[in-house]
Amino acid sequence: MNEFTKTVDAVRQGRNITKEQLACLLGQAGSEEEEYLFTAAREIADAVFHKQVFLRGLIEFTNYCKNDCYYCGIRCGNRAAERYRLSEDEILSCCDSGAALGFRTFVLQGGEDPYYTDERMSAIVRSIKDRHPDCAVTLSIGEKSHESYQMFHDAGADRYLLRHETADEEHYAKLHPKSMSLAHRKQCLYDLKEIGYQVGCGIMVGSPYQTIDTIYEDIAFMQELGPHMIGIGPFLAHKDTPFRDEQNGSVQTTLRLLAILRLLFPKVLLPATTALGTADALGREKGILAGANVLMPNLSPVSVRGKYLLYDGKICTGEEAAECVVCLRNRVERIGYRVAESRGDHPDFA
Ligand code: 5AD
Ligand code: FES
């Protein structure tokens, strides 16, 4: 036992972490110590989820966005992005093929696109729930009013993903234009929770200006919010953004943070993200082996996949993209896990 492994045990036991402990677990460590952390996280995930991995069918239905986040490839300031929107029929047909493939969750993700008014969004959610009453609908469409969130929930939306990106005010201001605020982002997350959604927050790992201190604040915020899902993946620079020359986030730090989050939030739904799979060909497998339990294969029509580019190098955008579901199932099984058939609600909602 050394300081690193002792810290793993202490964090696991106490389900809490100090800044010093966080610095230790994200600092220098040998591969054996790292494996000790991943094994501890995996044991917890396996005890709660019995080696099940939940699949979410991701439908990237619009890459129009009115915001101008400095890191994001679909920011409104990026004139090089080729914009698209899916019609309600196109979205429904993605869901139909997804349901046939066994998906029980659809995630509708898009930029903040005013074309999709509350009425349009609610109608889309209603149609999906009519056709697939056994499926969960997750929305990931950014900051809205309490009233709008309530309307989508009334229409049948079950879950909502809204990464907070960073819980540090100064850091937030370095990632976003003045028109956006951390306070509003947090308010949205609290509104969503209060309405009764299963709520997901999250961050990019290694985003410009991120430090141990900001990650510590992120964890403190998560502990206060009590999210059902936490989405984290490495920051990856996009060539047509102000952050084009910034360093990418590290896979190793992402895996360690996934494991730490599993120690702290045993029941949370934790995806091994596409960004992780982009940064490392085996990133998603490594993520699951570090405590993640969700994968989000792309169900968008192959014709638009190459246009929803938040960062450079995104995987699964080519002609073979229709194979992702089969590919991911195989990958899950190869590492001794199995794809769940249920909706995969948070244990407190099931
Ligand atoms: N690299 C990695 N992740 C990104 N996101 C946006 N841009 C990037 C990038 N360049 C993440 C943000 C957002 C989510 C949908 O994708 O965290 O909330
Ligand atoms: Fe897309 Fe493997 S997940 S090809």
Side-chain angles (χ1 to χ4, degrees):
M1 291 290 265
N2 62 20
E3 197 204 337
F4 188 96
T5 55
K6 272 189 207 150
T7 304
V8 171
D9 288 350
V11 171
R12 175 185 191 160
Q13 276 288 314
R15 281 197 201 158
N16 208 347
I17 194 163
T18 64
K19 197 183 285 185
E20 292 64 39
Q21 289 172 322
L22 179 66
C24 169
L25 295 183
L26 294 180
Q28 290 294 327
S31 55
E32 263 179 49
E33 294 162 317
E34 212 169 40
E35 200 45 52
Y36 188 87
L37 169 63
F38 298 156
T39 303
R42 201 158 66 225
E43 280 171 9
I44 294 174
D46 293 352
V48 180
F49 298 103
H50 314 289
K51 298 217 164 210
Q52 295 184 94
V53 171
F54 303 104
L55 295 191
R56 319 297 195 196
L58 184 63
I59 303 170
E60 299 160 336
F61 69 97
T62 173
N63 71 348
Y64 282 85
C65 190
K66 66 177 166 67
N67 292 334
D68 216 15
C69 307
Y70 303 144
Y71 46 85
C72 184
I74 65 167
R75 64 200 299 268
C76 67
N78 179 10
R79 294 304 146 91
E82 204 185 311
R83 306 288 169 170
Y84 73 91
R85 290 184 177 110
L86 298 186
S87 67
E88 175 168 343
D89 281 350
E90 288 173 307
I91 296 171
L92 290 174
S93 99
C94 289
C95 296
D96 292 349
S97 29
L101 287 165
F103 284 86
R104 292 295 173 265
T105 295
F106 303 114
V107 181
L108 300 191
Q109 184 173 91
E112 291 194 14
D113 179 356
Y115 170 84
Y116 296 91
T117 58
D118 292 353
E119 290 69 26
R120 276 195 178 123
M121 246 7 267
S122 302
I124 293 169
V125 171
R126 251 191 211 95
S127 307
I128 298 174
K129 294 294 279 196
D130 275 348
R131 286 154 83 120
H132 304 289
D134 56 332
C135 293
V137 171
T138 305
L139 295 178
S140 177
I141 54 176
E143 298 183 14
K144 309 273 174 183
S145 66
H146 187 287
E147 195 186 356
S148 305
Y149 288 148
Q150 184 67 59
M151 200 165 149
F152 306 148
H153 193 256
D154 294 343
D158 302 275
R159 310 184 188 140
Y160 205 102
L161 303 177
L162 181 67
R163 290 193 182 173
H164 63 286
E165 314 295 358
T166 175
D168 180 272
E169 291 280 2
E170 271 176 46
H171 187 208
Y172 195 92
K174 288 179 177 161
L175 301 181
H176 303 97
K178 283 207 169 49
S179 54
M180 297 175 71
S181 81
L182 175 60
H184 190 252
R185 178 73 48 138
K186 285 183 171 176
Q187 188 57 52
C188 288
L189 286 161
Y190 285 114
D191 287 349
L192 289 160
K193 242 198 128 181
E194 185 260 318
I195 290 167
Y197 284 94
Q198 294 174 58
V199 175
C201 64
I203 61 167
M204 295 177 287
V205 178
S207 62
Y209 313 105
Q210 184 177 65
T211 62
I212 295 279
D213 294 72
T214 66
I215 298 176
Y216 187 69
E217 289 183 77
D218 289 322
I219 292 175
F221 169 65
M222 291 174 195
Q223 288 175 325
E224 185 186 300
L225 175 67
H228 305 93
M229 308 168 280
I230 302 175
I232 69 163
F235 161 76
L236 300 170
H238 186 292
K239 63 183 190 324
D240 301 314
T241 63
F243 286 168
R244 61 180 63 86
D245 295 323
E246 299 289 339
Q247 275 225 331
N248 285 347
S250 107
V251 170
Q252 187 183 49
T253 308
T254 305
L255 294 172
R256 293 222 204 147
L257 194 56
L258 280 171
I260 292 165
L261 291 172
R262 177 58 69 205
L263 301 183
L264 295 173
F265 301 94
K267 296 193 283 189
V268 84
L269 292 155
L270 196 59
T273 58
T274 304
L276 185 56
T278 295
D280 179 330
L282 291 177
R284 288 168 298 177
E285 286 90 333
K286 291 176 185 173
I288 292 169
L289 295 172
N293 65 338
V294 172
L295 291 170
M296 302 176 67
N298 201 318
L299 282 187
S300 312
V302 172
S303 57
V304 303
R305 284 196 204 178
K307 298 180 186 163
Y308 197 86
L309 300 177
L310 308 183
Y311 44 80
D312 288 341
K314 188 178 177 206
I315 53 169
C316 302
T317 56
E319 273 315 306
E320 68 295 346
E323 308 301 321
C324 291
V325 177
V326 179
C327 169
L328 279 178
R329 274 182 195 280
N330 289 333
R331 285 169 181 250
V332 166
E333 284 164 17
R334 271 203 298 267
I335 57 170
Y337 282 71
R338 61 193 168 79
V339 168
E341 279 165 25
S342 64
R343 274 180 23 152
D345 289 288
H346 185 277
D348 294 350
F349 272 75

